[in-house]
Amino acid sequence: MVENLVIRKLEKGEEFPYDLLLLADPSMEAIEDYIHRGDCYIALLDNKVVGEYVLIKTRPFTIELVNIAVDEKYQGKGIGKALVMDAINRARESKAKVIEVGTGNCSAYQHLLYQKCGFRMTWIDIDFFKKHYDEEIYENGVRCIDMIRMSMDL
């Protein structure tokens, strides 16, 4: 884990880290929807926000990790894994039975990270990005079309 990394819930009245939220999701409309239905957590290094994630309750006993991002200057240092593990722990503390996450069909790094943290693929949301995003999204030279849905029993 990263030394001196502090992860805490964003307090009411604090500014959402839109620059980071937009790294993980290019749709401001989608972001505005879920940040007001869930809880945003921020990762700080030396009082600088370097990462974030959002948790929302989707169904009884189920929490979804809907946005996770690390400032590009701080990627590859274990912050993403620390954020995912923090989200899992907070879901457990809330007495959820399942935590879910979705990622693009071409999001290879994220897909591997979630598996390393204990998530398993459960289904594919066919044409998710075609249906819900006006602009085409590309990662690793491949168009994101489908969402890979993953979950973990807590």
Side-chain angles (χ1 to χ4, degrees):
M1 292 294 174
V2 181
E3 275 189 53
N4 303 322
L5 186 70
V6 174
I7 302 173
R8 68 167 177 82
K9 185 175 174 180
L10 196 69
E11 299 297 329
K12 269 194 170 164
E14 283 187 285
E15 190 68 30
F16 287 104
Y18 285 106
D19 55 332
L20 292 172
L21 290 158
L22 287 163
L23 275 179
D25 188 338
S27 171
M28 185 60 85
E29 183 180 2
I31 291 169
E32 285 296 332
D33 174 65
Y34 58 69
I35 61 173
H36 296 290
R37 291 188 294 122
D39 294 317
C40 184
Y41 295 85
I42 55 173
L44 300 121
L45 266 180
D46 301 320
N47 290 320
K48 177 181 174 25
V49 177
V50 297
E52 62 73 34
Y53 70 85
V54 178
L55 289 178
I56 61 170
K57 285 190 170 201
T58 55
R59 296 183 306 282
F61 307 108
T62 303
I63 289 182
E64 184 175 359
L65 174 56
V66 293
N67 185 309
I68 181 168
V70 175
D71 183 310
E72 291 170 330
K73 292 177 275 207
Y74 295 89
Q75 291 178 4
K77 300 180 185 316
I79 296 170
K81 185 173 184 180
L83 288 168
V84 173
M85 297 309 294
D86 189 75
I88 292 166
N89 289 332
R90 289 180 194 271
R92 279 191 181 111
E93 289 169 4
S94 76
K95 306 295 186 221
K97 305 272 189 233
V98 176
I99 184 169
E100 299 176 329
V101 68
T103 192
N105 58 280
C106 54
S107 303
Y109 174 76
Q110 294 88 334
H111 185 221
L112 292 172
L113 172 63
Y114 297 138
Q115 287 185 88
K116 288 177 184 177
C117 292
F119 285 87
R120 296 185 64 200
M121 290 182 285
T122 50
W123 59 288
I124 297 174
D125 193 343
I126 303 294
D127 291 333
F128 178 88
F129 293 99
K130 285 171 103 176
K131 291 176 190 171
H132 300 289
Y133 289 80
D134 294 332
E135 294 183 29
E136 294 179 358
I137 301 169
Y138 286 85
E139 289 183 31
N140 303 310
V142 177
R143 183 174 175 199
C144 280
I145 297 172
D146 305 319
M147 181 180 284
I148 297 172
R149 304 291 303 168
M150 304 177 81
S151 68
M152 175 193 304
D153 290 338
L154 302 171

PDB file of all heavy atoms in Angstrom, residues 61-63 84-85 87-89 91-92 96-101 113-122 149-154:
ATOM      1  N   PHE A  61     -29.065  -4.943   0.104  1.00  0.00           N
ATOM      2  CA  PHE A  61     -27.821  -5.658   0.429  1.00  0.00           C
ATOM      3  C   PHE A  61     -26.786  -5.638  -0.696  1.00  0.00           C
ATOM      4  O   PHE A  61     -25.858  -6.433  -0.701  1.00  0.00           O
ATOM      5  CB  PHE A  61     -28.117  -7.108   0.839  1.00  0.00           C
ATOM      6  CG  PHE A  61     -29.126  -7.219   1.941  1.00  0.00           C
ATOM      7  CD1 PHE A  61     -30.404  -7.689   1.680  1.00  0.00           C
ATOM      8  CD2 PHE A  61     -28.795  -6.822   3.229  1.00  0.00           C
ATOM      9  CE1 PHE A  61     -31.347  -7.769   2.696  1.00  0.00           C
ATOM     10  CE2 PHE A  61     -29.735  -6.910   4.254  1.00  0.00           C
ATOM     11  CZ  PHE A  61     -31.021  -7.380   3.983  1.00  0.00           C
ATOM     12  N   THR A  62     -26.936  -4.727  -1.656  1.00  0.00           N
ATOM     13  CA  THR A  62     -26.009  -4.649  -2.787  1.00  0.00           C
ATOM     14  C   THR A  62     -25.505  -3.225  -2.950  1.00  0.00           C
ATOM     15  O   THR A  62     -26.287  -2.274  -2.963  1.00  0.00           O
ATOM     16  CB  THR A  62     -26.690  -5.112  -4.095  1.00  0.00           C
ATOM     17  OG1 THR A  62     -27.182  -6.436  -3.913  1.00  0.00           O
ATOM     18  CG2 THR A  62     -25.718  -5.089  -5.256  1.00  0.00           C
ATOM     19  N   ILE A  63     -24.184  -3.100  -3.078  1.00  0.00           N
ATOM     20  CA  ILE A  63     -23.529  -1.812  -3.303  1.00  0.00           C
ATOM     21  C   ILE A  63     -22.732  -1.911  -4.589  1.00  0.00           C
ATOM     22  O   ILE A  63     -22.124  -2.938  -4.874  1.00  0.00           O
ATOM     23  CB  ILE A  63     -22.605  -1.458  -2.113  1.00  0.00           C
ATOM     24  CG1 ILE A  63     -23.466  -1.097  -0.900  1.00  0.00           C
ATOM     25  CG2 ILE A  63     -21.655  -0.330  -2.463  1.00  0.00           C
ATOM     26  CD1 ILE A  63     -22.681  -0.695   0.319  1.00  0.00           C
ATOM     27  N   VAL A  84      -9.923   0.362  -4.311  1.00  0.00           N
ATOM     28  CA  VAL A  84     -10.841  -0.770  -4.479  1.00  0.00           C
ATOM     29  C   VAL A  84     -10.987  -1.523  -3.156  1.00  0.00           C
ATOM     30  O   VAL A  84     -12.103  -1.860  -2.735  1.00  0.00           O
ATOM     31  CB  VAL A  84     -10.383  -1.714  -5.606  1.00  0.00           C
ATOM     32  CG1 VAL A  84     -11.255  -2.964  -5.656  1.00  0.00           C
ATOM     33  CG2 VAL A  84     -10.424  -1.001  -6.961  1.00  0.00           C
ATOM     34  N   MET A  85      -9.880  -1.784  -2.492  1.00  0.00           N
ATOM     35  CA  MET A  85      -9.943  -2.517  -1.229  1.00  0.00           C
ATOM     36  C   MET A  85     -10.684  -1.714  -0.161  1.00  0.00           C
ATOM     37  O   MET A  85     -11.441  -2.276   0.640  1.00  0.00           O
ATOM     38  CB  MET A  85      -8.538  -2.893  -0.753  1.00  0.00           C
ATOM     39  CG  MET A  85      -7.790  -3.837  -1.694  1.00  0.00           C
ATOM     40  SD  MET A  85      -8.716  -5.329  -2.173  1.00  0.00           S
ATOM     41  CE  MET A  85      -8.827  -6.169  -0.599  1.00  0.00           C
ATOM     42  N   ALA A  87     -13.127   0.389  -0.779  1.00  0.00           N
ATOM     43  CA  ALA A  87     -14.539   0.288  -1.158  1.00  0.00           C
ATOM     44  C   ALA A  87     -15.126  -1.045  -0.690  1.00  0.00           C
ATOM     45  O   ALA A  87     -16.243  -1.099  -0.165  1.00  0.00           O
ATOM     46  CB  ALA A  87     -14.696   0.446  -2.668  1.00  0.00           C
ATOM     47  N   ILE A  88     -14.372  -2.121  -0.870  1.00  0.00           N
ATOM     48  CA  ILE A  88     -14.827  -3.448  -0.425  1.00  0.00           C
ATOM     49  C   ILE A  88     -15.036  -3.448   1.088  1.00  0.00           C
ATOM     50  O   ILE A  88     -16.065  -3.926   1.584  1.00  0.00           O
ATOM     51  CB  ILE A  88     -13.815  -4.537  -0.849  1.00  0.00           C
ATOM     52  CG1 ILE A  88     -13.810  -4.700  -2.372  1.00  0.00           C
ATOM     53  CG2 ILE A  88     -14.117  -5.866  -0.156  1.00  0.00           C
ATOM     54  CD1 ILE A  88     -12.632  -5.504  -2.910  1.00  0.00           C
ATOM     55  N   ASN A  89     -14.090  -2.902   1.825  1.00  0.00           N
ATOM     56  CA  ASN A  89     -14.201  -2.853   3.285  1.00  0.00           C
ATOM     57  C   ASN A  89     -15.386  -2.015   3.743  1.00  0.00           C
ATOM     58  O   ASN A  89     -16.099  -2.393   4.673  1.00  0.00           O
ATOM     59  CB  ASN A  89     -12.908  -2.344   3.913  1.00  0.00           C
ATOM     60  CG  ASN A  89     -11.789  -3.354   3.795  1.00  0.00           C
ATOM     61  OD1 ASN A  89     -12.012  -4.558   3.741  1.00  0.00           O
ATOM     62  ND2 ASN A  89     -10.566  -2.857   3.732  1.00  0.00           N
ATOM     63  N   ALA A  91     -18.113  -1.466   2.026  1.00  0.00           N
ATOM     64  CA  ALA A  91     -19.326  -2.226   1.684  1.00  0.00           C
ATOM     65  C   ALA A  91     -19.600  -3.280   2.760  1.00  0.00           C
ATOM     66  O   ALA A  91     -20.745  -3.455   3.185  1.00  0.00           O
ATOM     67  CB  ALA A  91     -19.175  -2.867   0.313  1.00  0.00           C
ATOM     68  N   ARG A  92     -18.556  -3.965   3.193  1.00  0.00           N
ATOM     69  CA  ARG A  92     -18.710  -4.955   4.285  1.00  0.00           C
ATOM     70  C   ARG A  92     -19.227  -4.296   5.558  1.00  0.00           C
ATOM     71  O   ARG A  92     -20.130  -4.809   6.216  1.00  0.00           O
ATOM     72  CB  ARG A  92     -17.372  -5.630   4.578  1.00  0.00           C
ATOM     73  CG  ARG A  92     -17.014  -6.738   3.660  1.00  0.00           C
ATOM     74  CD  ARG A  92     -15.801  -7.525   4.171  1.00  0.00           C
ATOM     75  NE  ARG A  92     -15.479  -8.572   3.221  1.00  0.00           N
ATOM     76  CZ  ARG A  92     -14.396  -8.588   2.460  1.00  0.00           C
ATOM     77  NH1 ARG A  92     -13.488  -7.635   2.564  1.00  0.00           N
ATOM     78  NH2 ARG A  92     -14.200  -9.567   1.606  1.00  0.00           N
ATOM     79  N   ALA A  96     -23.533  -4.865   3.536  1.00  0.00           N
ATOM     80  CA  ALA A  96     -23.910  -5.332   2.200  1.00  0.00           C
ATOM     81  C   ALA A  96     -23.483  -6.789   2.058  1.00  0.00           C
ATOM     82  O   ALA A  96     -22.518  -7.232   2.689  1.00  0.00           O
ATOM     83  CB  ALA A  96     -23.248  -4.476   1.127  1.00  0.00           C
ATOM     84  N   LYS A  97     -24.176  -7.513   1.239  1.00  0.00           N
ATOM     85  CA  LYS A  97     -23.850  -8.921   0.970  1.00  0.00           C
ATOM     86  C   LYS A  97     -23.073  -9.078  -0.335  1.00  0.00           C
ATOM     87  O   LYS A  97     -22.382 -10.061  -0.539  1.00  0.00           O
ATOM     88  CB  LYS A  97     -25.123  -9.759   0.889  1.00  0.00           C
ATOM     89  CG  LYS A  97     -26.014  -9.646   2.097  1.00  0.00           C
ATOM     90  CD  LYS A  97     -25.632 -10.642   3.139  1.00  0.00           C
ATOM     91  CE  LYS A  97     -26.667 -10.664   4.246  1.00  0.00           C
ATOM     92  NZ  LYS A  97     -26.117 -10.481   5.538  1.00  0.00           N
ATOM     93  N   VAL A  98     -23.215  -8.072  -1.228  1.00  0.00           N
ATOM     94  CA  VAL A  98     -22.581  -8.129  -2.547  1.00  0.00           C
ATOM     95  C   VAL A  98     -22.070  -6.739  -2.911  1.00  0.00           C
ATOM     96  O   VAL A  98     -22.734  -5.744  -2.640  1.00  0.00           O
ATOM     97  CB  VAL A  98     -23.592  -8.603  -3.632  1.00  0.00           C
ATOM     98  CG1 VAL A  98     -22.971  -8.564  -5.023  1.00  0.00           C
ATOM     99  CG2 VAL A  98     -24.117  -9.993  -3.318  1.00  0.00           C
ATOM    100  N   ILE A  99     -20.895  -6.696  -3.533  1.00  0.00           N
ATOM    101  CA  ILE A  99     -20.404  -5.459  -4.140  1.00  0.00           C
ATOM    102  C   ILE A  99     -20.219  -5.748  -5.617  1.00  0.00           C
ATOM    103  O   ILE A  99     -19.743  -6.820  -6.006  1.00  0.00           O
ATOM    104  CB  ILE A  99     -19.107  -4.929  -3.485  1.00  0.00           C
ATOM    105  CG1 ILE A  99     -18.713  -3.568  -4.109  1.00  0.00           C
ATOM    106  CG2 ILE A  99     -17.990  -5.942  -3.547  1.00  0.00           C
ATOM    107  CD1 ILE A  99     -17.615  -2.835  -3.364  1.00  0.00           C
ATOM    108  N   GLU A 100     -20.652  -4.800  -6.451  1.00  0.00           N
ATOM    109  CA  GLU A 100     -20.567  -4.957  -7.896  1.00  0.00           C
ATOM    110  C   GLU A 100     -19.742  -3.818  -8.494  1.00  0.00           C
ATOM    111  O   GLU A 100     -19.619  -2.755  -7.899  1.00  0.00           O
ATOM    112  CB  GLU A 100     -21.968  -4.922  -8.514  1.00  0.00           C
ATOM    113  CG  GLU A 100     -22.877  -6.011  -8.028  1.00  0.00           C
ATOM    114  CD  GLU A 100     -24.289  -5.918  -8.577  1.00  0.00           C
ATOM    115  OE1 GLU A 100     -24.774  -4.796  -8.834  1.00  0.00           O
ATOM    116  OE2 GLU A 100     -24.903  -6.980  -8.723  1.00  0.00           O
ATOM    117  N   VAL A 101     -19.225  -4.071  -9.680  1.00  0.00           N
ATOM    118  CA  VAL A 101     -18.500  -3.056 -10.431  1.00  0.00           C
ATOM    119  C   VAL A 101     -18.655  -3.386 -11.914  1.00  0.00           C
ATOM    120  O   VAL A 101     -18.839  -4.546 -12.281  1.00  0.00           O
ATOM    121  CB  VAL A 101     -16.997  -2.991 -10.012  1.00  0.00           C
ATOM    122  CG1 VAL A 101     -16.246  -4.234 -10.424  1.00  0.00           C
ATOM    123  CG2 VAL A 101     -16.325  -1.740 -10.541  1.00  0.00           C
ATOM    124  N   LEU A 113      -7.285  -5.502 -12.426  1.00  0.00           N
ATOM    125  CA  LEU A 113      -7.254  -4.972 -11.055  1.00  0.00           C
ATOM    126  C   LEU A 113      -8.425  -5.524 -10.247  1.00  0.00           C
ATOM    127  O   LEU A 113      -8.241  -5.999  -9.126  1.00  0.00           O
ATOM    128  CB  LEU A 113      -7.303  -3.446 -11.073  1.00  0.00           C
ATOM    129  CG  LEU A 113      -7.469  -2.771  -9.702  1.00  0.00           C
ATOM    130  CD1 LEU A 113      -6.287  -3.055  -8.790  1.00  0.00           C
ATOM    131  CD2 LEU A 113      -7.670  -1.270  -9.881  1.00  0.00           C
ATOM    132  N   TYR A 114      -9.619  -5.481 -10.813  1.00  0.00           N
ATOM    133  CA  TYR A 114     -10.783  -5.970 -10.075  1.00  0.00           C
ATOM    134  C   TYR A 114     -10.662  -7.463  -9.775  1.00  0.00           C
ATOM    135  O   TYR A 114     -11.017  -7.906  -8.685  1.00  0.00           O
ATOM    136  CB  TYR A 114     -12.073  -5.674 -10.840  1.00  0.00           C
ATOM    137  CG  TYR A 114     -12.331  -4.191 -11.032  1.00  0.00           C
ATOM    138  CD1 TYR A 114     -12.797  -3.691 -12.242  1.00  0.00           C
ATOM    139  CD2 TYR A 114     -12.101  -3.281 -10.004  1.00  0.00           C
ATOM    140  CE1 TYR A 114     -13.023  -2.343 -12.417  1.00  0.00           C
ATOM    141  CE2 TYR A 114     -12.322  -1.923 -10.175  1.00  0.00           C
ATOM    142  CZ  TYR A 114     -12.789  -1.464 -11.381  1.00  0.00           C
ATOM    143  OH  TYR A 114     -13.010  -0.122 -11.562  1.00  0.00           O
ATOM    144  N   GLN A 115     -10.131  -8.224 -10.709  1.00  0.00           N
ATOM    145  CA  GLN A 115      -9.940  -9.656 -10.449  1.00  0.00           C
ATOM    146  C   GLN A 115      -8.914  -9.877  -9.334  1.00  0.00           C
ATOM    147  O   GLN A 115      -9.106 -10.726  -8.464  1.00  0.00           O
ATOM    148  CB  GLN A 115      -9.499 -10.384 -11.718  1.00  0.00           C
ATOM    149  CG  GLN A 115     -10.614 -10.549 -12.731  1.00  0.00           C
ATOM    150  CD  GLN A 115     -10.172 -11.372 -13.904  1.00  0.00           C
ATOM    151  OE1 GLN A 115     -10.274 -12.580 -13.871  1.00  0.00           O
ATOM    152  NE2 GLN A 115      -9.664 -10.708 -14.926  1.00  0.00           N
ATOM    153  N   LYS A 116      -7.826  -9.108  -9.349  1.00  0.00           N
ATOM    154  CA  LYS A 116      -6.817  -9.227  -8.293  1.00  0.00           C
ATOM    155  C   LYS A 116      -7.391  -8.906  -6.919  1.00  0.00           C
ATOM    156  O   LYS A 116      -6.927  -9.422  -5.904  1.00  0.00           O
ATOM    157  CB  LYS A 116      -5.628  -8.293  -8.573  1.00  0.00           C
ATOM    158  CG  LYS A 116      -4.753  -8.751  -9.709  1.00  0.00           C
ATOM    159  CD  LYS A 116      -3.651  -7.745  -9.974  1.00  0.00           C
ATOM    160  CE  LYS A 116      -2.819  -8.144 -11.162  1.00  0.00           C
ATOM    161  NZ  LYS A 116      -1.790  -7.125 -11.475  1.00  0.00           N
ATOM    162  N   CYS A 117      -8.412  -8.055  -6.898  1.00  0.00           N
ATOM    163  CA  CYS A 117      -9.047  -7.668  -5.638  1.00  0.00           C
ATOM    164  C   CYS A 117     -10.165  -8.628  -5.228  1.00  0.00           C
ATOM    165  O   CYS A 117     -10.770  -8.449  -4.175  1.00  0.00           O
ATOM    166  CB  CYS A 117      -9.591  -6.244  -5.743  1.00  0.00           C
ATOM    167  SG  CYS A 117      -8.289  -4.992  -5.871  1.00  0.00           S
ATOM    168  N   GLY A 118     -10.452  -9.640  -6.061  1.00  0.00           N
ATOM    169  CA  GLY A 118     -11.427 -10.658  -5.676  1.00  0.00           C
ATOM    170  C   GLY A 118     -12.742 -10.649  -6.425  1.00  0.00           C
ATOM    171  O   GLY A 118     -13.618 -11.475  -6.151  1.00  0.00           O
ATOM    172  N   PHE A 119     -12.925  -9.740  -7.372  1.00  0.00           N
ATOM    173  CA  PHE A 119     -14.157  -9.711  -8.154  1.00  0.00           C
ATOM    174  C   PHE A 119     -14.134 -10.810  -9.216  1.00  0.00           C
ATOM    175  O   PHE A 119     -13.063 -11.198  -9.698  1.00  0.00           O
ATOM    176  CB  PHE A 119     -14.321  -8.360  -8.874  1.00  0.00           C
ATOM    177  CG  PHE A 119     -14.723  -7.234  -7.965  1.00  0.00           C
ATOM    178  CD1 PHE A 119     -13.762  -6.499  -7.292  1.00  0.00           C
ATOM    179  CD2 PHE A 119     -16.053  -6.897  -7.791  1.00  0.00           C
ATOM    180  CE1 PHE A 119     -14.115  -5.450  -6.461  1.00  0.00           C
ATOM    181  CE2 PHE A 119     -16.424  -5.847  -6.963  1.00  0.00           C
ATOM    182  CZ  PHE A 119     -15.450  -5.122  -6.300  1.00  0.00           C
ATOM    183  N   ARG A 120     -15.328 -11.277  -9.565  1.00  0.00           N
ATOM    184  CA  ARG A 120     -15.469 -12.274 -10.628  1.00  0.00           C
ATOM    185  C   ARG A 120     -16.459 -11.753 -11.659  1.00  0.00           C
ATOM    186  O   ARG A 120     -17.422 -11.058 -11.313  1.00  0.00           O
ATOM    187  CB  ARG A 120     -15.984 -13.595 -10.053  1.00  0.00           C
ATOM    188  CG  ARG A 120     -14.976 -14.201  -9.085  1.00  0.00           C
ATOM    189  CD  ARG A 120     -15.385 -15.541  -8.593  1.00  0.00           C
ATOM    190  NE  ARG A 120     -15.430 -16.473  -9.726  1.00  0.00           N
ATOM    191  CZ  ARG A 120     -16.101 -17.607  -9.703  1.00  0.00           C
ATOM    192  NH1 ARG A 120     -16.765 -17.970  -8.634  1.00  0.00           N
ATOM    193  NH2 ARG A 120     -16.098 -18.403 -10.752  1.00  0.00           N
ATOM    194  N   MET A 121     -16.233 -12.108 -12.912  1.00  0.00           N
ATOM    195  CA  MET A 121     -17.155 -11.709 -13.967  1.00  0.00           C
ATOM    196  C   MET A 121     -18.488 -12.412 -13.765  1.00  0.00           C
ATOM    197  O   MET A 121     -18.527 -13.608 -13.485  1.00  0.00           O
ATOM    198  CB  MET A 121     -16.598 -12.072 -15.342  1.00  0.00           C
ATOM    199  CG  MET A 121     -15.412 -11.233 -15.748  1.00  0.00           C
ATOM    200  SD  MET A 121     -14.810 -11.646 -17.389  1.00  0.00           S
ATOM    201  CE  MET A 121     -13.971 -13.183 -17.042  1.00  0.00           C
ATOM    202  N   THR A 122     -19.575 -11.647 -13.889  1.00  0.00           N
ATOM    203  CA  THR A 122     -20.893 -12.229 -13.696  1.00  0.00           C
ATOM    204  C   THR A 122     -21.767 -12.151 -14.940  1.00  0.00           C
ATOM    205  O   THR A 122     -22.568 -13.027 -15.182  1.00  0.00           O
ATOM    206  CB  THR A 122     -21.624 -11.568 -12.510  1.00  0.00           C
ATOM    207  OG1 THR A 122     -21.564 -10.152 -12.653  1.00  0.00           O
ATOM    208  CG2 THR A 122     -20.962 -11.967 -11.191  1.00  0.00           C
ATOM    209  N   ARG A 149     -19.637  -6.795 -16.318  1.00  0.00           N
ATOM    210  CA  ARG A 149     -20.140  -6.671 -14.955  1.00  0.00           C
ATOM    211  C   ARG A 149     -19.437  -7.696 -14.074  1.00  0.00           C
ATOM    212  O   ARG A 149     -19.313  -8.859 -14.455  1.00  0.00           O
ATOM    213  CB  ARG A 149     -21.657  -6.868 -14.902  1.00  0.00           C
ATOM    214  CG  ARG A 149     -22.443  -5.939 -15.811  1.00  0.00           C
ATOM    215  CD  ARG A 149     -22.422  -4.506 -15.395  1.00  0.00           C
ATOM    216  NE  ARG A 149     -22.926  -4.396 -14.044  1.00  0.00           N
ATOM    217  CZ  ARG A 149     -22.821  -3.305 -13.293  1.00  0.00           C
ATOM    218  NH1 ARG A 149     -22.224  -2.236 -13.750  1.00  0.00           N
ATOM    219  NH2 ARG A 149     -23.296  -3.280 -12.078  1.00  0.00           N
ATOM    220  N   MET A 150     -18.970  -7.248 -12.923  1.00  0.00           N
ATOM    221  CA  MET A 150     -18.243  -8.113 -12.000  1.00  0.00           C
ATOM    222  C   MET A 150     -18.837  -7.943 -10.613  1.00  0.00           C
ATOM    223  O   MET A 150     -19.402  -6.884 -10.298  1.00  0.00           O
ATOM    224  CB  MET A 150     -16.762  -7.743 -12.003  1.00  0.00           C
ATOM    225  CG  MET A 150     -16.142  -7.786 -13.399  1.00  0.00           C
ATOM    226  SD  MET A 150     -14.417  -7.252 -13.415  1.00  0.00           S
ATOM    227  CE  MET A 150     -13.653  -8.768 -12.884  1.00  0.00           C
ATOM    228  N   SER A 151     -18.714  -8.977  -9.790  1.00  0.00           N
ATOM    229  CA  SER A 151     -19.228  -8.865  -8.428  1.00  0.00           C
ATOM    230  C   SER A 151     -18.397  -9.716  -7.481  1.00  0.00           C
ATOM    231  O   SER A 151     -17.590 -10.545  -7.894  1.00  0.00           O
ATOM    232  CB  SER A 151     -20.696  -9.285  -8.367  1.00  0.00           C
ATOM    233  OG  SER A 151     -20.828 -10.659  -8.602  1.00  0.00           O
ATOM    234  N   MET A 152     -18.642  -9.464  -6.186  1.00  0.00           N
ATOM    235  CA  MET A 152     -17.966 -10.213  -5.131  1.00  0.00           C
ATOM    236  C   MET A 152     -18.973 -10.398  -3.996  1.00  0.00           C
ATOM    237  O   MET A 152     -19.627  -9.437  -3.580  1.00  0.00           O
ATOM    238  CB  MET A 152     -16.754  -9.432  -4.613  1.00  0.00           C
ATOM    239  CG  MET A 152     -16.068 -10.089  -3.436  1.00  0.00           C
ATOM    240  SD  MET A 152     -14.882  -9.003  -2.597  1.00  0.00           S
ATOM    241  CE  MET A 152     -13.815  -8.553  -3.926  1.00  0.00           C
ATOM    242  N   ASP A 153     -19.094 -11.623  -3.540  1.00  0.00           N
ATOM    243  CA  ASP A 153     -19.894 -11.880  -2.343  1.00  0.00           C
ATOM    244  C   ASP A 153     -19.089 -11.439  -1.129  1.00  0.00           C
ATOM    245  O   ASP A 153     -17.893 -11.734  -1.022  1.00  0.00           O
ATOM    246  CB  ASP A 153     -20.235 -13.364  -2.221  1.00  0.00           C
ATOM    247  CG  ASP A 153     -21.234 -13.826  -3.273  1.00  0.00           C
ATOM    248  OD1 ASP A 153     -21.975 -12.973  -3.808  1.00  0.00           O
ATOM    249  OD2 ASP A 153     -21.257 -15.036  -3.580  1.00  0.00           O
ATOM    250  N   LEU A 154     -19.738 -10.723  -0.251  1.00  0.00           N
ATOM    251  CA  LEU A 154     -19.076 -10.252   0.958  1.00  0.00           C
ATOM    252  C   LEU A 154     -19.451 -11.158   2.095  1.00  0.00           C
ATOM    253  O   LEU A 154     -19.171 -11.285   3.089  1.00  0.00           O
ATOM    254  CB  LEU A 154     -19.471  -8.807   1.244  1.00  0.00           C
ATOM    255  CG  LEU A 154     -19.153  -7.811   0.109  1.00  0.00           C
ATOM    256  CD1 LEU A 154     -19.778  -6.474   0.391  1.00  0.00           C
ATOM    257  CD2 LEU A 154     -17.648  -7.660  -0.052  1.00  0.00           C
TER     258      LEU A 154
END
